[in-house]
Amino acid sequence: MSNIMLRNVMEDDLPIFFKHQQNHEANHMAAFTSKDPSDWDSFAAHWNKILTDKEIIKQTIMVEKNVVGHISCFEQFGELEVSYWIGKEYWGKGIATKALREFLKHITIRPLYARAAKDNAGSLKVLEKGGFMITGEDSGFSNARGEDVEEFILTLN
């Protein structure tokens, strides 16, 4: 898949993001998700906060003319973190890797952090290809899994 483009998130993207969030396997891999991924009102309220927060850098990932996911940079635990979500139907095509590389051209602050569940091999691979290195570990309650999940903290210097 070539022709990956990032653009500002638009309200029209939200129903597509919401649909991506409905996938059980995607929620399991992401681990740290909303309590009820099928609750549109909570989803919309969450995204309204994101869209109105000028400190959060958020981009829609496009392939051809299709919305395939989103990527963002925000402050968490006093550090800048990168996060992304790709619709499951687009996994394994190099889209997340290319989108992250493109995003990092515009986010020049270092260090930059990311987190991924230890068993989320796909996301760990994407982050490592983007130059992130595992620098720590943490754990937290996963709504998607209903239990504590161990995660890696990754750093890009």
Side-chain angles (χ1 to χ4, degrees), residues 50-62:
I50 292 170
L51 291 173
T52 57
D53 188 334
K54 302 291 182 225
E55 298 297 310
I56 299 174
I57 301 163
K58 54 263 177 201
Q59 300 275 279
T60 295
I61 303 167
M62 306 282 298

Side-chain angles (χ1 to χ4, degrees), residues 72-90:
S72 60
C73 181
F74 55 94
E75 187 178 318
Q76 184 166 316
F77 309 121
E79 300 169 336
L80 278 182
E81 289 205 12
V82 170
S83 181
Y84 51 87
W85 189 294
I86 306 292
K88 181 167 183 322
E89 61 271 32
Y90 300 103

Side-chain angles (χ1 to χ4, degrees), residues 100-136:
L100 178 62
R101 285 183 180 146
E102 184 62 29
F103 191 67
L104 292 174
K105 290 178 186 175
H106 306 284
I107 310 297
T108 56
I109 295 166
R110 303 292 184 266
L112 196 57
Y113 298 89
R115 293 168 174 261
K118 286 185 175 183
D119 61 358
N120 188 342
S123 198
L124 291 167
K125 192 169 164 184
V126 166
L127 291 164
E128 289 172 344
K129 284 182 181 178
F132 285 81
M133 294 177 51
I134 294 171
T135 54

Side-chain angles (χ1 to χ4, degrees), residues 1-122:
M1 285 241 162
S2 52
N3 297 344
I4 290 173
M5 184 184 91
L6 302 180
R7 66 156 167 76
N8 290 333
V9 174
M10 299 186 309
E11 261 187 69
D12 288 350
D13 299 336
L14 300 186
I16 298 166
F17 297 168
F18 183 70
K19 181 177 175 259
H20 291 164
Q21 183 181 288
Q22 303 308 299
N23 184 281
H24 177 74
E25 186 180 350
N27 273 285
H28 183 83
M29 292 314 298
F32 304 100
T33 59
S34 62
K35 284 183 182 170
D36 181 2
S38 66
D39 182 346
W40 168 260
D41 291 337
S42 292
F43 175 87
H46 173 73
W47 268 96
N48 186 51
K49 287 179 191 166
I50 292 170
L51 291 173
T52 57
D53 188 334
K54 302 291 182 225
E55 298 297 310
I56 299 174
I57 301 163
K58 54 263 177 201
Q59 300 275 279
T60 295
I61 303 167
M62 306 282 298
V63 173
E64 306 302 330
K65 294 181 180 178
N66 299 312
V67 172
V68 302
H70 54 84
I71 189 166
S72 60
C73 181
F74 55 94
E75 187 178 318
Q76 184 166 316
F77 309 121
E79 300 169 336
L80 278 182
E81 289 205 12
V82 170
S83 181
Y84 51 87
W85 189 294
I86 306 292
K88 181 167 183 322
E89 61 271 32
Y90 300 103
W91 289 5
K93 298 178 180 178
I95 294 169
T97 300
K98 289 178 184 174
L100 178 62
R101 285 183 180 146
E102 184 62 29
F103 191 67
L104 292 174
K105 290 178 186 175
H106 306 284
I107 310 297
T108 56
I109 295 166
R110 303 292 184 266
L112 196 57
Y113 298 89
R115 293 168 174 261
K118 286 185 175 183
D119 61 358
N120 188 342

